[in-house]
Amino acid sequence: MKKQTICLGLITLLVLYLLGFRITYAPYLKNHWEAISACAAWTGVFISGLAICYAIKVPKTIADRQDRISLFEKRFKLYCIFKSLYRSSDLPLKLISDSKIRATLEEHIDSLFFSLTNCDYLEDLKNIIKNPKKEKEKLTQKLNDMSFLAQEFSFLFDAREAAHISNFLLNYITVLRSLCDLKTEKMHIDDATEKTVTSCKSNVISDFDKFQEARDKIYSYNVIQNLSQQMDLRL
């Protein structure tokens, strides 16, 4: 604002200079009071105009600054959630890549689920895996929140980064749901549902593979770095 005011003042002086106004000392000249009065009147009008412009500009500048701060806070909150989920997904994806763990997947359901929920955002889901059928409503609510979270990224960040993050989150949701389905079938297994368990195992492995692809794209396209740049707060 100060720079703009100084520039405006310099431009005004330049215009007056080009119009022929000079600071001179000529005592032999008589004062032209009508000209002086006209100049004073126009000076008053000009100053009043500047005051009005300044009065309009200041509230607008303050409002813009508040909007930027609010946007930064929303972006930073989403960024922190995403980074925590990204870190939490690292260990379970490494585990599931082991062929031995894939072969004995039923024995590692809890550890995979605990690793995926090892962050503040999903902290309240950790114990759900003990009895997912009983906690189905709570699980559904949290996964719906994650789905809404994916939509928020599309409003607050650039389209390309938002698309990769949305894909990552939706695959995250699918993996969590698949693990819960497998645990539910395992807890209520009998001869009639053996095929269902096998099908659930196959779904979990397939979902983890897709999840790995989504996570790899986050790394390949430097999504995290691009997000941090988009949060740049310039006041």
Side-chain angles (χ1 to χ4, degrees):
M1 179 59 71
K2 290 182 179 179
K3 291 182 179 179
Q4 293 176 351
T5 304
I6 293 172
C7 289
L8 184 61
L10 292 174
I11 291 171
T12 302
L13 291 175
L14 178 61
V15 171
L16 292 174
Y17 180 83
L18 294 175
L19 290 175
F21 286 86
R22 301 289 189 277
I23 299 175
T24 59
Y25 178 72
Y28 53 85
L29 295 177
K30 294 183 179 180
N31 293 328
H32 195 300
W33 294 108
E34 292 182 1
I36 293 173
S37 178
C39 288
W42 279 107
T43 301
V45 171
F46 180 74
I47 293 174
S48 298
L50 288 178
I52 293 172
C53 292
Y54 186 80
I56 295 172
K57 183 69 176 179
V58 170
K60 185 178 182 301
T61 302
I62 294 173
D64 290 342
R65 183 174 297 180
Q66 290 175 340
D67 289 341
R68 290 180 183 178
I69 292 173
S70 177
L71 179 61
F72 172 80
E73 290 174 347
K74 291 178 181 179
R75 283 179 169 175
F76 185 70
K77 180 181 177 181
L78 290 179
Y79 175 77
C80 290
I81 292 174
F82 168 68
K83 279 204 71 174
S84 66
L85 291 171
Y86 184 81
R87 285 194 298 266
S88 297
S89 66
D90 184 48
L91 178 59
L93 285 171
K94 287 180 179 178
L95 291 173
I96 201 68
S97 64
D98 189 335
S99 57
K100 294 180 180 179
I101 290 180
R102 289 191 175 213
T104 57
L105 186 59
E106 304 98 316
E107 300 174 9
H108 302 282
I109 298 174
D110 289 8
S111 60
L112 289 169
F113 194 87
F114 287 148
S115 297
L116 285 168
T117 55
N118 188 29
C119 60
D120 292 339
Y121 183 72
L122 296 176
E123 184 73 25
D124 52 339
L125 291 187
K126 272 192 174 181
N127 295 323
I128 283 181
I129 198 62
K130 294 180 180 178
N131 193 346
K133 189 173 183 179
K134 183 179 179 181
E135 301 286 350
K136 185 176 181 180
E137 185 176 345
K138 184 177 181 180
L139 175 67
T140 301
Q141 179 61 48
K142 191 64 178 182
L143 296 185
N144 287 340
D145 291 343
M146 283 187 71
S147 180
F148 179 75
L149 189 71
Q151 297 177 23
E152 283 190 274
F153 274 95
S154 64
F155 289 106
L156 295 174
F157 291 95
D158 288 349
R160 192 183 75 167
E161 282 70 32
H164 290 307
I165 293 171
S166 178
N167 185 39
F168 172 82
L169 292 175
L170 293 177
N171 278 281
Y172 209 122
I173 292 170
T174 302
V175 166
L176 290 173
R177 186 177 283 116
S178 294
L179 286 172
C180 288
D181 290 343
L182 178 58
K183 183 61 179 286
T184 300
E185 293 298 330
K186 184 174 177 293
M187 290 177 66
H188 303 87
I189 191 169
D190 53 41
D191 294 336
T193 60
E194 184 65 37
K195 291 183 178 179
T196 307
V197 173
T198 303
S199 177
C200 286
K201 285 177 60 178
S202 177
N203 290 338
V204 169
I205 292 173
S206 175
D207 292 337
F208 264 106
D209 289 339
K210 293 177 182 177
F211 188 32
Q212 180 67 68
E213 290 178 8
R215 193 177 192 276
D216 289 341
K217 288 182 179 179
I218 296 293
Y219 178 80
S220 300
Y221 290 98
N222 296 319
V223 172
I224 295 178
Q225 181 180 353
N226 293 339
L227 287 185
S228 62
Q229 292 175 356
Q230 290 176 37
M231 288 194 304
D232 186 20
L233 182 62
R234 299 182 186 276
L235 298 180

